[in-house]
């Protein structure tokens, strides 16, 4: 070997260059076995004082637009999707609190128009004028109150039976499907025959239900119900001095519903692109989105108290709470789905990073998988060509699984938190099976040797 001059470039000596590459490979191998990230040449730091403020501004806007996107999609779909609207309000027909409130309102409307006490007094006076004995007349007058109470209880019982029956539940669902304009009236302020918006109140017309009760009362032999005139009783769903502001906000959100999610993702992508530490920013951004979903859930709970405080006195609190919970049901489902998804994004991004902590996690996982593979091979469970195929195309399979998860999530119609968790668990199981079955030609025992990275050209 010739001596290299003090100012000569050592890369000009093939033997020295080969030895240097071999040493670098050994160092990388040892670092991998010790759970430390392989040494890498220093990278150029992305300069620019403006990057930090821009990233912070983008993440702040993500925190704002994320919850708004969830609410906007809910607002748009509740009006535009009849099936989703029916799915929202149908359970109210079987809610005990709502049933009790509707029964009370219908019974009060019928008894008010019927005026049972006046009819009873008229009947007693007519009998008295026919010349019945004074003692009998006094007895009839004493029975007036029990008669009124009996008729009132009979009417209330018949109304309750109707409201609690399966026929009412079916009629409720069908009526809401045919009168989908109800939700439009509630959220846009545009009235319809079924729902009217008067001043600051949203009211549901109970005329159709009252007609059904009248027919049932007559069929039960209570022919006095035929005297009930046409009733347009209202069941108040919401009353607030801020209703006009809520309607304006709904119209705005509905108009930008499809654009807000795209804007939120673009802002998150811009923050990652501009950042000096892109992986770190992606983790923080995903956690920001998850935190904004938690804040949205807290806001829904807080607004529930505001809603209950704004209800009219004739609507019981428990019925009003059931109505509110059903109306915001899909907001809660969607925010849970987004929460789970971005927590998963943050976790995957962190665990694949070069920092010491995630590197140790990966190294520990690799050692555990190697131990399982070694034991399975020692027991004679050879995966054969299938394992070699998985080992050869392991990276491609990971990409396919990740792409399938994203595609299924995007194509899902309003994915829920449960759907998201199931999707992620299935993907994790598939990747775990791939890792357990994968084998490489250089590692017949299943314990893959870490390949030394290609050494870069040495510099003087």
């Amino acid at each position: 070997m010739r001596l290299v001059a003090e100012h000569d470039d050592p890369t000009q000596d093939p033997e020295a260059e080969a030895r240097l590459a071999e040493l670098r490979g050994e160092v990388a191998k040892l670092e991998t076995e010790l759970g430390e990230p392989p040494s890498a040449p220093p990278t150029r730091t992305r300069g620019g004082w403006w990057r930090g403020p821009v990233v912070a501004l983008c993440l702040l806007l993500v925190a704002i637009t994320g919850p708004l996107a969830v609410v906007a999609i809910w607002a748009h779909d509740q009006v535009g999707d009849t099936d989703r609207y029916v799915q929202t309000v149908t359970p109210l027909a079987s809610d005990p609190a709502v049933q009790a409130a509707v029964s009370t309102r219908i019974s009060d409307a019928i008894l008010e128009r019927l005026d049972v006490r006046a009819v009873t007094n008229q009947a007693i006076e007519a009998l008295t004028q026919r010349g019945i004995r004074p003692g009998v007349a006094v007895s009839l007058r004493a029975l007036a109150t029990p008669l009124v109470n009996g008729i009132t209880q009979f009417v209330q019982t018949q109304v309750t039976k109707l409201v609690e029956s399966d026929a009412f539940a079916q009629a409720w669902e069908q009526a809401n499907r045919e009168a989908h304009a109800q939700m439009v009236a509630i959220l846009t302020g545009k009235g319809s025959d079924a729902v009217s918006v008067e001043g600051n109140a949203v009211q549901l017309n109970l005329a159709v239900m009252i007609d059904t009760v009248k027919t049932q009362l007559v069929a039960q032999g209570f022919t006095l119900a035929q005297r009930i005139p046409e009733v347009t009783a209202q069941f108040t769903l919401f009353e607030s001095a801020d209703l006009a502001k809520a309607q304006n906000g709904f119209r705005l959100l509905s108009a930008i519903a499809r654009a807000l999610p795209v804007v939120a993702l673009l802002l998150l992508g811009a923050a990652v692109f501009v950042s000096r530490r892109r992986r770190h920013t992606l983790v923080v951004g995903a956690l920001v989105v998850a935190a904004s979903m938690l804040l949205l859930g807290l806001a829904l709970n807080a607004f529930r108290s505001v809603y209950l405080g704004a209800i009219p006195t004739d609507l019981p609190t428990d019925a009003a709470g059931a109505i509110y919970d059903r109306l915001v049901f899909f907001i809660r489902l969607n925010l849970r789905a987004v929460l789970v998804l971005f927590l998963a994004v943050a976790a995957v991004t962190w665990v694949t990073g070069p920092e010491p902590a995630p590197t140790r996690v990966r190294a520990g996982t690799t050692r555990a998988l190697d131990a399982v593979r070694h034991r399975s091979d020692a027991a004679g469970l050879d995966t054969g060509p299938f394992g070699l195929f998985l080992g050869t195309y392991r990276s491609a399979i990971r990409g396919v699984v990740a792409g399938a998860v994203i595609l299924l999530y995007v194509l899902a119609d309003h994915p829920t938190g449960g759907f998201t968790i199931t999707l992620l668990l299935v993907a994790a199981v598939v990747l775990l099976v791939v890792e357990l079955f994968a084998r490489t030609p250089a590692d017949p025992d299943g314990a893959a040797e870490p390949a030394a990275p290609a050494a870069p050209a040495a510099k003087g």
Side-chain angles (χ1 to χ4, degrees):
M1 178 186 304
R2 72 178 181 84
L3 296 178
V4 181
E6 180 179 359
H7 301 287
D8 288 346
D9 187 352
T11 60
Q12 300 300 320
D13 188 342
E15 294 183 4
E17 184 177 357
R19 181 57 181 165
L20 182 60
E22 182 180 353
L23 290 174
R24 284 175 176 161
E26 292 294 331
V27 170
K29 178 179 177 180
L30 290 173
E31 288 176 339
T32 302
E33 292 177 351
L34 294 174
E36 299 179 356
S39 300
T43 57
R44 181 179 299 176
T45 303
R46 306 179 74 201
W49 64 267
W50 52 272
R51 294 183 184 275
V54 170
V55 169
L57 177 62
C58 288
L59 293 182
L60 175 62
L61 293 177
V62 167
I64 296 173
T65 56
L68 284 179
V70 173
V71 176
I73 291 176
W74 164 82
H76 181 273
D77 289 352
Q78 285 291 351
V79 174
D81 190 337
T82 301
D83 290 336
R84 183 159 296 278
Y85 167 73
V86 172
Q87 186 179 358
T88 300
V89 299
T90 293
L92 292 175
S94 58
D95 187 276
V98 175
Q99 287 179 342
V102 173
S103 298
T104 299
R105 187 68 188 94
I106 293 177
S107 299
D108 291 346
I110 291 176
L111 294 172
E112 180 182 350
R113 269 66 172 189
L114 195 58
D115 198 356
V116 177
R117 182 169 294 278
V119 172
T120 302
N121 291 333
Q122 290 175 6
I124 294 174
E125 291 297 330
L127 291 174
T128 302
Q129 292 175 5
R130 288 178 178 272
I132 62 175
R133 288 179 298 177
V136 176
V138 172
S139 298
L140 286 175
R141 289 189 176 91
L143 291 173
T145 298
L147 285 173
V148 170
N149 293 338
I151 294 173
T152 300
Q153 185 176 2
F154 174 76
V155 171
Q156 291 174 342
T157 300
Q158 296 303 316
V159 171
T160 301
K161 286 182 178 179
L162 173 65
V163 173
E164 293 179 351
S165 66
D166 293 337
F168 172 76
Q170 295 172 2
W172 175 279
E173 179 180 348
Q174 185 61 31
N176 279 284
R177 183 174 295 279
E178 294 176 353
H180 178 234
Q182 293 179 11
M183 185 58 69
V184 178
I186 293 173
L187 295 177
T188 65
K190 298 178 182 179
S192 67
D193 293 337
V195 172
S196 61
V197 181
E198 300 178 358
N200 295 323
V202 177
Q203 298 176 322
L204 177 66
N205 193 344
L206 300 177
V208 176
M209 299 179 190
I210 293 176
D211 289 340
T212 303
V213 173
K214 287 167 55 178
T215 302
Q216 182 169 329
L217 291 174
V218 173
Q220 293 290 330
F222 188 65
T223 56
L224 188 63
Q226 294 176 343
R227 299 178 53 180
I228 302 175
E230 183 178 353
V231 181
T232 57
Q234 306 293 330
F235 181 74
T236 302
L237 296 177
F238 182 84
E239 184 174 7
S240 173
D242 297 325
L243 180 60
K245 295 179 181 179
Q247 291 165 349
N248 292 334
F250 163 76
R251 284 190 283 265
L252 175 61
L253 289 175
S254 182
I256 60 177
R258 300 308 179 197
L260 274 178
V262 177
V263 171
L265 291 176
L266 289 177
L267 288 170
L268 180 58
V272 173
F273 178 77
V274 171
S275 175
R276 294 187 180 92
R277 302 169 60 192
R278 292 178 173 175
R279 184 182 296 273
H280 175 76
T281 300
L282 180 56
V283 173
V284 173
L287 293 177
V288 165
V289 175
S292 69
M293 294 300 108
L294 291 177
L295 291 177
L296 176 58
L298 293 175
L300 290 177
N301 293 336
F303 188 74
R304 190 178 192 273
S305 300
V306 176
Y307 166 79
L308 295 180
I311 60 174
T313 56
D314 60 344
L315 182 61
T317 303
D318 52 355
I323 293 172
Y324 176 84
D325 291 338
R326 289 308 309 174
L327 289 177
V328 302
F329 176 71
F330 286 102
I331 296 183
R332 290 194 170 111
L333 282 184
N334 290 337
L335 74 86
R336 291 166 190 165
V338 176
L339 172 65
V340 171
L341 176 65
F342 278 89
L343 284 178
V345 170
V348 171
T349 305
W350 177 84
V351 82
T352 57
E355 291 80 8
T359 301
R360 285 193 293 268
V361 171
R362 294 198 306 273
T365 303
T366 300
R367 285 193 294 269
L369 291 173
D370 286 344
V372 173
R373 284 194 290 259
H374 180 75
R375 291 181 180 180
S376 64
D377 288 341
L381 301 176
D382 186 11
T383 57
F386 178 67
L388 294 177
F389 173 82
L390 294 180
T392 303
Y393 298 100
R394 185 180 306 177
S395 299
I397 293 173
R398 291 172 182 170
V400 170
V401 172
V405 169
I406 296 173
L407 182 63
L408 290 174
Y409 185 87
V410 171
L411 295 180
D413 183 21
H414 296 275
T416 63
F419 171 83
T420 307
I421 292 176
T422 302
L423 189 61
L424 293 174
L425 287 177
V426 170
V429 170
V430 171
L431 292 176
L432 178 61
V433 170
V434 170
E435 292 297 325
L436 291 175
F437 287 180
R439 300 292 186 273
T440 60
D443 181 22
D445 292 333
E449 292 288 343
K459 294 182 179 180

